[in-house]
Amino acid sequence: MDQLQIKDLEIFAYHGLFPSEKELGQKFVISASLSYDMTKAATDLDLTASVHYGELCQQWTTWFQETTEDLIETVAYKLVERTFETYPLVQEIELELKKPWAPVHLPLDTCSVTIHRRKQRAFIALGSNMGDKKANLEQAIDKLRTRGIHILKESSVLATEPWGGVEQDSFANQVIEVETWLPASVLLETLLAIESEMGRVREVHWGPRLIDLDLLFVEDQVIYTDDLILPHPYIAERLFVLEPLVEIAPHFIHPILKQPIRYLVDQLEQGNA
């Protein structure tokens, strides 16, 4: 993808663990590569399809100087976050933040951190069978938006019977496609935080729930850890996930089963017939 590169922007600011760093300040140096499609800007002279690097450098300077942080990791992360928020056309950012005057008291050219993030598409299943079910789904989606997660597509809300053998009310289910620069593990933490904010209590496995947010796919990533399994392990067994998913992404290919979602729906329906 096309790249805009900015090298060695110097900013004087007041970040650091030591009190002297926050009192006296020091020099920091930013270099970054921003990836986005420059075709429209180049061929149509469309400035809205470009990043004004002069304005961006001024914005970085302003953002950099408006707070004080203990860690340069925090500063670099916030710069990446605000750049994505301000320039939606940017798909990927690699940003290096150097601290040439670091108080190391040894022969040293510079210390630096580099943060590399790119936007990814993910699918999230939503479910609720307590209270105003549809309103619960809408509230969860709004909370995703406030966290900078861009909603690309929303399926219809389907009324479905509970799954898992626990006696309970029917569910309102939905699947959404989102775009986010958050890594899969952080996206999962975000979903769990939203569930907690909305008052979900995990008392009965597969039992009633005010809101349920399941991370189904993050592009074609396959992850197996104690905290996260991707793709979600029950996708191919759940019509209440597959039916709304096929509505918005019928040709998405399951990265393990190597079949498009529409085939998985047909297979499960035939098996239940």
Side-chain angles (χ1 to χ4, degrees), residues 130 166 199-210:
M130 298 174 65
V166 178
R200 174 171 179 179
V201 178
R202 297 174 183 269
E203 293 179 336
V204 179
H205 189 48
W206 288 330
R209 63 211 74 175
L210 181 71

Side-chain angles (χ1 to χ4, degrees), residues 14-19 21-22 26 28 67-75 78 99:
Y14 298 83
H15 304 290
L17 277 172
F18 297 105
E21 294 180 289
K22 289 188 170 65
Q26 60 188 298
F28 297 86
T67 62
T68 60
E69 303 290 351
D70 290 343
L71 301 178
I72 57 174
E73 291 94 326
T74 304
V75 185
K78 288 185 174 181
K99 190 175 181 180

Side-chain angles (χ1 to χ4, degrees), residues 97-149:
L97 176 56
K98 299 177 183 177
K99 190 175 181 180
W101 298 353
V104 176
H105 307 301
L106 289 169
L108 176 72
D109 179 48
T110 189
C111 291
S112 73
V113 297
T114 299
I115 290 185
H116 184 189
R117 296 288 187 273
R118 70 176 181 89
K119 289 182 179 177
Q120 306 176 95
R121 292 193 171 195
F123 292 94
I124 299 168
L126 300 87
S128 175
N129 75 335
M130 298 174 65
D132 189 333
K133 304 170 189 177
K134 189 172 181 181
N136 293 338
L137 303 185
E138 292 172 351
Q139 183 182 358
I141 291 173
D142 286 341
K143 286 183 176 293
L144 287 168
R145 286 194 181 99
T146 62
R147 286 166 166 80
I149 297 171

Side-chain angles (χ1 to χ4, degrees), residues 173-214:
N173 285 110
Q174 187 177 21
V175 170
I176 60 175
E177 182 181 8
V178 305
E179 182 181 67
T180 179
W181 59 276
L182 299 175
S185 59
V186 179
L187 180 56
L188 176 64
E189 291 173 4
T190 301
L191 300 183
L192 295 175
I194 290 174
E195 289 182 343
S196 180
E197 283 179 18
M198 291 182 62
R200 174 171 179 179
V201 178
R202 297 174 183 269
E203 293 179 336
V204 179
H205 189 48
W206 288 330
R209 63 211 74 175
L210 181 71
I211 190 68
D212 187 29
L213 301 174
D214 285 335

Side-chain angles (χ1 to χ4, degrees), residues 77 80 84 91-94 115-119 181 183:
Y77 186 91
V80 169
F84 273 128
Q91 297 299 307
E92 187 170 359
I93 300 174
E94 183 170 328
I115 290 185
H116 184 189
R117 296 288 187 273
R118 70 176 181 89
K119 289 182 179 177
W181 59 276

